[in-house]
Structure formats: structure tokens, C-alpha cells
Amino acid sequence: MEKQKNGLGRRKEAVTRVFLSKGDGKITVNDKDYKVYFPLVYLQNQVEAPLKAIESLDKFDIVINATGGGVKGQAEAAKLGIARALLEVNADFRPVLKAGGFLTRDPRGVERKKPGKKKARKSFQFSKR
């Protein structure tokens, strides 16, 4: 595998483009190390999870461009993007990644605001008199 593989990940409003190439386990997000970009350990684990599932944490260099959403959405979008890129590398990873739930796009987003309400469901204070 000489050419880099890529995958697209989305979650809420976040979109990540993932570029995967042979290497020694360097993961960069928006030109920063992922441990700097995602300071919370559980978000770092989200990004590493698909690589841990196929036991190749130190076999690939990954470059991620993340836009939109918040930090959590971006981390989870990166997880999906990495899993999709790994499938392009080797289709034999599919059963393991599928079992880990890494190939499912999480469809949950923000519920729209309704008229006459403060937010999607929150109402204004009700006064009988």
C-alpha cells in the first residue's frame, strides 16, 4: 500500500476527512498532535478505538482535517473516518470493525426549535393567573 487511503466521517455538525498512510502511528488533527487537539483522554480513546480493534495502533500515520461541530462530535467523526479508511486498506477488517460498531454513522443531531417554545421542548413558564 503506497498510496494513501481516505475516509469521511460525520457526527452531528462535525465533518472529518481522514488520510491514512503506512507509518509508525502518528495521528495529527488540523496540524496538531491528536493528544493536544483532544486533551480529554476519553476523546483520545475514541480516535484510537478502530486502530486498537484491529491491533495496528503503530502501523499507520493518520492526518485528519476536522471542521464544524464541537470537540466530541469531531472525535467521533474521526473514529468513523478512520474505520472507513481502514476498510479501503484491507476489506478483511470489516467483521471486526462492524462488531465494534465503528462503521455505523450516528444519526442523532440537534432537534429543531418549535414555534411557541423556548427551545425544542423547553417551554416558557406557565402562569395560570
Side-chain angles (χ1 to χ4, degrees), residues 7 11 30 39-40 46 53-54 62-64 66 70 77 85 89 95-96 106 116:
R11 169 80 168 95
N30 294 352
L40 297 172
Q46 288 282 332
I54 59 163
I62 302 173
V63 177
I64 302 170
V89 174
V96 181
D106 193 334

Side-chain angles (χ1 to χ4, degrees), residues 2-3 6 25 28 47 56 63 67 79 92 109 126 128-129:
E2 293 84 49
K3 219 164 103 9
N6 52 354
T28 53
V47 175
S56 59
V63 177
T67 56
K79 176 173 75 168
D92 301 341
F126 177 76
K128 195 165 188 177
R129 284 175 188 67

Side-chain angles (χ1 to χ4, degrees), residues 2-126:
E2 293 84 49
K3 219 164 103 9
Q4 69 175 8
K5 304 288 184 188
N6 52 354
L8 185 74
R10 291 196 186 95
R11 169 80 168 95
K12 294 182 170 181
E13 288 294 304
V15 181
T16 57
R17 291 197 312 280
V18 177
F19 304 99
L20 197 87
S21 54
K22 276 262 185 284
D24 50 6
K26 278 221 316 264
I27 304 175
T28 53
V29 184
N30 294 352
D31 302 322
K32 291 181 187 166
D33 183 60
Y34 79 110
K35 291 194 169 166
V36 176
Y37 194 85
F38 299 121
L40 297 172
V41 176
Y42 88 100
L43 293 178
Q44 294 170 13
N45 291 340
Q46 288 282 332
V47 175
E48 295 166 354
L51 295 166
K52 282 182 181 163
I54 59 163
E55 287 147 24
S56 59
L57 202 53
D58 52 357
K59 293 189 179 113
F60 299 105
D61 280 349
I62 302 173
V63 177
I64 302 170
N65 294 337
T67 56
V71 186
K72 184 171 195 269
Q74 287 183 353
E76 293 182 7
K79 176 173 75 168
L80 176 62
I82 291 169
R84 285 177 171 175
L86 287 169
L87 277 192
E88 285 187 37
V89 174
N90 186 349
D92 301 341
F93 294 148
R94 188 170 182 85
V96 181
L97 292 171
K98 188 99 173 123
F102 300 119
L103 299 176
T104 311
R105 155 75 157 100
D106 193 334
R108 293 175 297 175
V110 177
E111 192 175 334
R112 80 175 191 87
K113 186 195 172 301
K114 316 294 187 308
K117 297 269 189 181
K118 204 168 190 140
K119 292 173 16 186
R121 299 192 178 194
K122 185 180 174 120
S123 301
F124 296 104
Q125 186 171 337
F126 177 76

